[in-house]
Every structure is written in structure tokens, then in C-alpha cells.
């Protein structure tokens, strides 16, 4: 069974998603489940373990979802995450079939 994961430490988790409040929870879900949609935030409580670090670990360890949305309102952080995924796809480190979307959500 495929699941949907929402990584965020401040927004309300949408219905039909499992909430991960930090990158370690998200990595555990990625390692142990088949994920249809993964929605990612950049700014988390631990400033050093943010969304960009997660994206780097995902590519390094080939942990993916069928669709990935970056919903962070941090324009610099979210663009860095998006570019990292796109570059990984260009370099064939990540399947090109994975749809990566940049769609910022309001904070509240």
C-alpha cells in the first residue's frame, strides 16, 4: 500500500497524509514504505537538519516518491531543493519519471 507523507513542523497535515515533523521521521517513512506523494518543507525546528539536507540524503540513498512537491514558503530554500532534485534527474541519479513540483504554501 502506498502512503502520502507531509514533512512540516508548523502547518496542519492534510487529510490522507502521514505527518513527519523532522527529516529523521521522514527518512524512516521513505525507507520503510512505498510513497506516492511526498510534500516537503525547508525550514524545520532544527535549522541544520532542514529540507535541503533531506533532499541530499534522498538522492544519495535513492529514496524517492512517485511525486514530490516542495511546499516551503522559504523561496531560497525551496528553489535550492527543487534545483537539487532537477540536477539529480539530469545527471540520471534520480528517475526522470518522478514529477517534482515547486508550490509554496502559506505558513498558516
Amino acid at each position: 500500500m502506498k502512503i502520502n507523507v507531509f514533512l512540516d513542523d508548523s502547518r496542519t497535515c492534510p487529510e490522507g497524509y502521514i505527518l513527519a515533523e523532522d527529516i529523521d521521521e521522514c527518512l524512516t517513512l521513505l525507507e520503510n514504505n512505498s510513497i506516492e506523494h511526498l510534500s516537503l518543507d525547508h525550514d524545520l525546528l532544527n535549522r541544520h537538519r532542514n529540507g535541503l539536507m533531506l533532499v541530499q540524503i534522498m538522492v544519495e540513498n535513492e529514496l524517492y516518491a512517485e511525486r514530490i512537491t516542495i511546499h516551503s514558503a522559504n523561496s531560497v530554500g525551496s528553489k535550492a531543493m527543487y534545483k537539487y532534485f532537477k540536477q539529480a534527474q539530469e545527471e540520471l541519479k534520480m528517475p526522470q519519471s518522478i514529477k517534482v513540483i515547486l508550490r509554496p504554501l502559506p505558513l498558516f
Side-chain angles (χ1 to χ4, degrees):
M1 185 180 102
K2 293 185 190 293
I3 62 169
N4 298 313
V5 176
F6 189 76
L7 172 68
D8 206 303
D9 61 358
S10 60
R11 291 177 186 86
T12 303
C13 184
E15 196 171 316
Y17 285 75
I18 295 172
L19 178 66
E21 292 186 298
D22 60 41
I23 71 170
D24 297 306
E25 287 179 25
C26 193
L27 284 168
T28 298
L29 290 166
L30 279 160
E31 289 164 355
N32 297 304
N33 297 278
S34 179
I35 298 178
E36 186 171 332
H37 184 225
L38 178 63
S39 192
L40 301 175
D41 193 14
H42 179 275
D43 297 343
L44 302 167
L45 284 177
N46 184 334
R47 295 271 174 243
H48 303 290
R49 294 179 64 74
N50 59 29
L52 182 57
M53 179 185 269
L54 173 69
V55 166
Q56 293 165 342
I57 294 169
M58 286 173 63
V59 170
E60 198 176 293
N61 295 290
E62 298 182 15
L63 297 168
Y64 302 118
E66 288 179 18
R67 287 184 305 126
I68 300 169
T69 301
I70 298 158
H71 69 251
S72 178
N74 176 331
S75 63
V76 174
S78 61
K79 284 180 184 137
M81 292 167 69
Y82 180 79
K83 283 182 185 167
Y84 199 92
F85 276 139
K86 288 311 221 180
Q87 187 173 341
Q89 285 180 319
E90 283 174 26
E91 295 172 2
L92 304 178
K93 293 178 186 170
M94 174 177 166
Q96 293 181 327
S97 60
I98 297 171
K99 192 170 182 185
V100 181
I101 305 159
L102 185 56
R103 186 178 298 142
L105 289 176
L107 287 171
F108 302 102

